């Protein structure tokens, strides 16, 4: 399997996880509000301090983002591009967002694909400080109670990354057993989730959110992304018994690579290792 050498030594625990409770719900992001604040208010209205969400078509502006890029210093296995600030309204095609905390304040990690006002199709990593909702749009959210994605220094990648930590329950109404997860580098995305579920006797699960990166990508329709540095959003995901009875993760994703190439599709099981991180919420169905 493909792998990328990271600047630090591998951490022994390859999946960082916290068991929690959660609930799916939907809400509307309001126009004129910073995306971070709009997301925070939507979760807070349901009693949650954090969680994940997915969205389809939407409109953002002002808008700022970065793309994956090669590292210029060698301090990281890959890095970010300069900041892009397209003029006008950017029409989002899809996105996935993790709402958590960084330096004691609300923060998000969000990847998506979009079309800028001049017609340029692009994607990448949205910047919380400079992204505003231009028109109202709906999102599908999953709030978690008892866990929080918190940005902390990561010695393996030399980045400050979101990972789940235990938190005090807020008493929000919940309906499901849920696990906040962060997958560490150089392990197959699908295989890691399948193993996690097997070890805990989870027969079926649904993925909510899903923000991270893979080392290029291999898709079930034969499509291939060769450039190794990507920014990826999970658009849908399930884990359930396959034809053989063994657990199989079906992961639909969208990504941009460091050359600006865009790709969407279902990932091949066993051939899509994590590059830097992959954070998501796994809802146990039975």
């Amino acid at each position: 399997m493909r792998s990328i050498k990271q600047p630090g030594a591998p951490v022994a625990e390859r999946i960082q996880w916290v068991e929690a409770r959660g609930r799916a719900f939907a809400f509307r992001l309001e126009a004129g509000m910073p995306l971070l604040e709009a997301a925070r208010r939507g979760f807070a209205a349901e009693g949650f301090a954090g969680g994940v969400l997915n969205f389809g078509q939407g409109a953002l502006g002002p808008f700022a983002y970065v793309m994956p890029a090669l590292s210029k210093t060698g301090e990281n296995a890959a890095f970010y591009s300069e900041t892009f600030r397209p003029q006008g309204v950017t029409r989002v095609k899809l996105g996935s967002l993790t709402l958590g905390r960084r330096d004691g304040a609300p923060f998000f990690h969000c990847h998506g694909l979009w079309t800028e006002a001049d017609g340029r199709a692009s994607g990448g990593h949205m910047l919380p400080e400079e992204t505003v909702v231009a028109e109202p749009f709906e999102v599908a959210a999953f709030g978690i109670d008892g866990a929080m994605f918190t940005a902390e220094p990561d010695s393996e990648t030399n980045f400050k990354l979101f990972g789940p930590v235990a938190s005090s329950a807020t008493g929000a109404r919940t309906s499901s057993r849920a696990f906040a997860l962060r997958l560490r580098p150089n392990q197959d995305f699908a295989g890691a989730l399948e193993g996690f579920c097997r070890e805990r006797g989870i027969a079926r699960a649904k993925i909510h959110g899903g923000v991270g990166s893979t080392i290029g990508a291999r898709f079930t329709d034969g499509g291939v992304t060769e450039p190794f540095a990507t920014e990826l959003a999970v658009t849908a995901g399930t884990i359930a018994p396959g034809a053989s009875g063994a657990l199989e993760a079906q992961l639909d994703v969208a990504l941009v690579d460091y050359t600006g190439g865009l790709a969407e599709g279902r990932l091949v099981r066993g051939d899509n290792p994590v590059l830097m991180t992959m954070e998501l919420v796994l809802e146990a169905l039975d």
Side-chain angles (χ1 to χ4, degrees):
M1 188 172 64
R2 301 181 307 285
S3 65
I4 294 294
K5 180 174 175 55
Q6 296 290 341
V11 177
E13 182 190 52
R14 302 315 294 160
I15 300 179
Q16 182 183 350
W17 63 278
V18 175
E19 183 170 356
R21 297 284 299 175
R23 177 169 55 87
F25 57 97
F27 65 91
R28 174 173 290 210
L29 299 173
E30 296 301 330
M33 190 175 295
L35 179 57
L36 175 58
E37 178 61 12
R40 188 200 66 78
R41 290 190 184 189
F43 279 95
E46 298 290 335
F48 295 102
V52 295
L53 58 82
N54 296 90
F55 51 92
Q57 295 183 357
L60 301 172
F63 178 49
Y65 69 94
V66 295
M67 292 173 56
L70 300 179
S71 175
K72 295 180 179 179
T73 65
E75 295 179 0
N76 308 92
F79 204 66
Y80 298 115
S81 70
E82 71 275 17
T83 299
F84 297 95
R85 297 179 177 87
Q87 298 298 307
V89 173
T90 294
R91 299 288 170 182
V92 178
K93 180 179 182 181
L94 57 90
S96 183
L97 182 151
T98 307
L99 178 67
R101 296 187 71 80
R102 179 182 173 114
D103 300 329
F107 198 75
F108 73 57
H109 187 197
C110 183
H111 292 170
L113 301 183
W114 50 77
T115 301
E116 295 165 19
D118 63 2
R120 178 177 183 250
S122 189
H125 173 111
M126 301 181 193
L127 299 183
E129 304 90 345
E130 300 185 56
T131 297
V132 177
V133 180
E135 300 170 6
F137 63 93
E138 298 289 324
V139 297
F142 193 90
I144 51 174
D145 194 25
M148 175 66 71
F149 285 98
T150 302
E152 297 178 319
D154 178 62
S155 61
E156 184 174 352
T157 63
N158 202 27
F159 279 112
K160 195 170 187 176
L161 298 175
F162 262 165
V165 299
S167 66
S168 300
T170 64
R173 181 169 61 88
T174 63
S175 58
S176 305
R177 182 186 182 201
F179 296 83
L181 304 180
R182 183 213 158 194
L183 308 185
R184 299 186 188 275
N186 295 321
Q187 57 183 323
D188 180 62
F189 187 7
L193 294 179
E194 292 164 1
F196 184 87
C197 288
R198 279 195 304 270
E199 291 170 6
R200 287 153 189 82
I202 299 170
R204 297 178 187 275
K206 181 177 181 180
I207 293 168
H208 297 274
V211 183
S213 56
T214 52
I215 302 172
R218 305 290 185 268
F219 296 98
T220 56
D221 65 359
V224 174
T225 296
E226 290 290 0
F228 78 94
T230 71
E231 299 275 23
L232 178 149
V234 177
T235 57
T238 59
I239 303 159
S244 68
L247 288 180
E248 295 183 3
Q250 305 294 331
L251 303 169
D252 296 335
V253 307
L255 63 83
V256 59
D257 65 51
Y258 76 84
T259 70
L262 307 178
E264 298 180 63
R266 178 162 292 177
L267 294 179
V268 171
R269 297 172 54 244
D271 197 17
N272 283 287
V274 174
L275 174 60
M276 298 292 182
T277 190
M278 191 69 65
E279 80 228 9
L280 55 90
V281 171
L282 189 151
E283 179 188 14
L285 302 179
D286 55 38

